[in-house]
Structures are given as structure tokens and as C-alpha cells.
Amino acid sequence: MFPQQNRGKSSLFSGSIPTSQKQRLYPLKGISWNQGKIKYLLFLSCLVISITNIYPASAHKVEVAGDVGGTLHIEPNDNPRAGEPSQAWFALTRRGGRVIPLSQCNCQLAVYAQPYAAGEPPLLEPELEPVAAERYQGIPGAEVVFPKPGIYQLQLNGKPVSGARFKPFEFKFEVTVAGGSTQNTRNSRNVNGDLVDDESQKLPLWAIALPILGFIGILVVVLRSMRGGGE
């Protein structure tokens, strides 16, 4: 008799609890039904934050001409700044991945300020030297000091020396140069003729607010989904 009475009291008690009180007593009930949706929304939140990251990811620039591929990297982090020395290096490889060192290439580097007219002399002609970078040894490299912020073109021409076997090539890499900390860029003109204000280098407010608002919006959707599953 006692077990039957206890079961009756338990059933009666559970049936008398309002839905709102059940939610407070069992706040995690129903989450398992929405785990897939929650995981997906959390993934989207991470994606939004990564896309709106205020610091651009560095990426090497790659060009191909004939049977030669060329990869440009500029230290630091492919983000050169005006008035500051930047180390540029070119990873040259033949088809199949074999590295072409500077000793096998008669290479010349020319730097032009964009835009430039055909036949116009280069702004800079840095001297190339063999450098070791990442997994490459003896590849062409040069120190470049860009005079002003703006867009530049690095043109690398090369042909094989006696005994080397690859076709002559010409690579054109476009490089964007930011204002340097060692010069006063306020109200000065860059190489493209546009005004460069030092304040423009600061992060705009929308770039800060966008990822925060996106995360809050996704969090609200997750909480509503959890509440709906609990009902």
C-alpha cells in the first residue's frame, strides 16, 4: 500500500506544477533535441568573429609564367610600411617543385609606383642577394624602403644562367604599403595622389561593434532555441 500511495502522491505533485515552474526546475531539459542546431549556431558565431577580425591574415603572393612559379613574401607579415625597411624575398620554383636559387638566375627587381606609364623608369631598383627564408635556401631577396603609402608594383625579371634549364620569366606583384610610424603621414599624399590621414589608420567603430553585435544576436537565437526545446 505504501508504494502505491507514494506513486500517487508523486504523480499528483508533478501534475500540479505549472509549466513556468517546470522550466525553472529543469532548465536544461530539451537541450539534447537541439544540440545540432546549437553547435551550428556556435560555429556561425566563431565564423563571424573570424571574418571580422581586425587584423588581416598574411598571405604570400603567387605568380606563374611558363614553367616557373614565383612566390613573394615581404617581412614583416606581408604588411610593409612607408619609410621602414622591408625584406622582400622571391621563392622561385620550376615545374615539379625544384627551387631555382639566385645563383642559377640572372634576375632584376624593379619597383614602380602605381599607376605608371609604359616606358617610365622604375622608382627603385633594389639589388638582389641570396637569402634563406622558410624552407628555401639561396633564393633572391632584397631590402626595400617604400617612400610613401600607396600601391606599388614589384616587377621581377629573370632568365637562366649558363647551365640552368628554365624559360625566361617576368612576374608582377602588386603591394599595398601602409603609413609608417617613422614618418608624419597626417594630411600627406600617398603615391596614388590620395590624401593619407594618420587618423585613418585607427580602427573604425563599426569594425569593433560588428562582431560584438553578431555574437549577441547568435546568442539570443541559441537561448530562444533552448527555451523552445524546454517547453
Side-chain angles (χ1 to χ4, degrees), residues 99-123:
V99 177
I100 302 175
L102 183 59
S103 59
Q104 297 181 9
C105 179
N106 183 9
C107 297
Q108 289 85 35
L109 175 63
V111 180
Y112 297 88
Q114 294 277 47
Y116 71 95
E120 181 180 341
L123 181 67

Side-chain angles (χ1 to χ4, degrees), residues 32-209:
S32 59
W33 293 92
N34 298 297
Q35 283 183 350
K37 184 184 295 185
I38 293 172
K39 290 180 180 179
Y40 178 71
L41 293 174
L42 290 176
F43 168 76
L44 288 180
S45 65
C46 295
L47 183 63
V48 169
I49 294 174
S50 64
I51 291 176
T52 55
N53 196 339
I54 60 176
Y55 296 103
S58 61
H60 298 348
K61 301 177 184 295
V62 180
E63 294 286 338
V64 178
D67 60 346
V68 179
T71 302
L72 167 66
H73 178 69
I74 300 180
E75 299 286 356
N77 301 323
D78 287 309
N79 187 29
R81 307 184 73 86
E84 301 178 9
S86 299
Q87 179 69 35
W89 53 260
F90 302 85
L92 305 177
T93 56
R94 292 176 51 187
R95 186 172 299 168
R98 181 174 298 179
V99 177
I100 302 175
L102 183 59
S103 59
Q104 297 181 9
C105 179
N106 183 9
C107 297
Q108 289 85 35
L109 175 63
V111 180
Y112 297 88
Q114 294 277 47
Y116 71 95
E120 181 180 341
L123 181 67
L124 301 170
E125 291 183 292
E127 183 178 355
L128 292 169
E129 297 180 352
V131 298
E134 295 184 356
R135 60 184 180 88
Y136 305 101
Q137 298 291 328
I139 58 175
E143 184 178 85
V144 183
V145 180
F146 298 96
K148 296 180 180 181
I151 301 176
Y152 293 81
Q153 184 182 94
L154 272 62
Q155 183 172 311
L156 181 69
N157 296 280
K159 57 184 179 180
V161 299
S162 179
R165 300 181 61 183
F166 60 87
K167 297 179 181 179
F169 61 85
E170 180 181 272
F171 295 138
K172 295 180 179 180
F173 299 94
E174 188 174 277
V175 176
T176 300
V177 178
S181 58
T182 59
Q183 65 175 22
N184 183 13
T185 58
R186 183 183 299 273
N187 293 333
S188 63
R189 290 188 177 273
N190 66 11
V191 295
N192 310 109
D194 301 325
L195 283 173
V196 176
D197 191 349
D198 189 43
E199 296 296 328
S200 65
Q201 302 296 328
K202 295 183 179 180
L203 187 66
L205 293 178
W206 64 264
I208 301 175

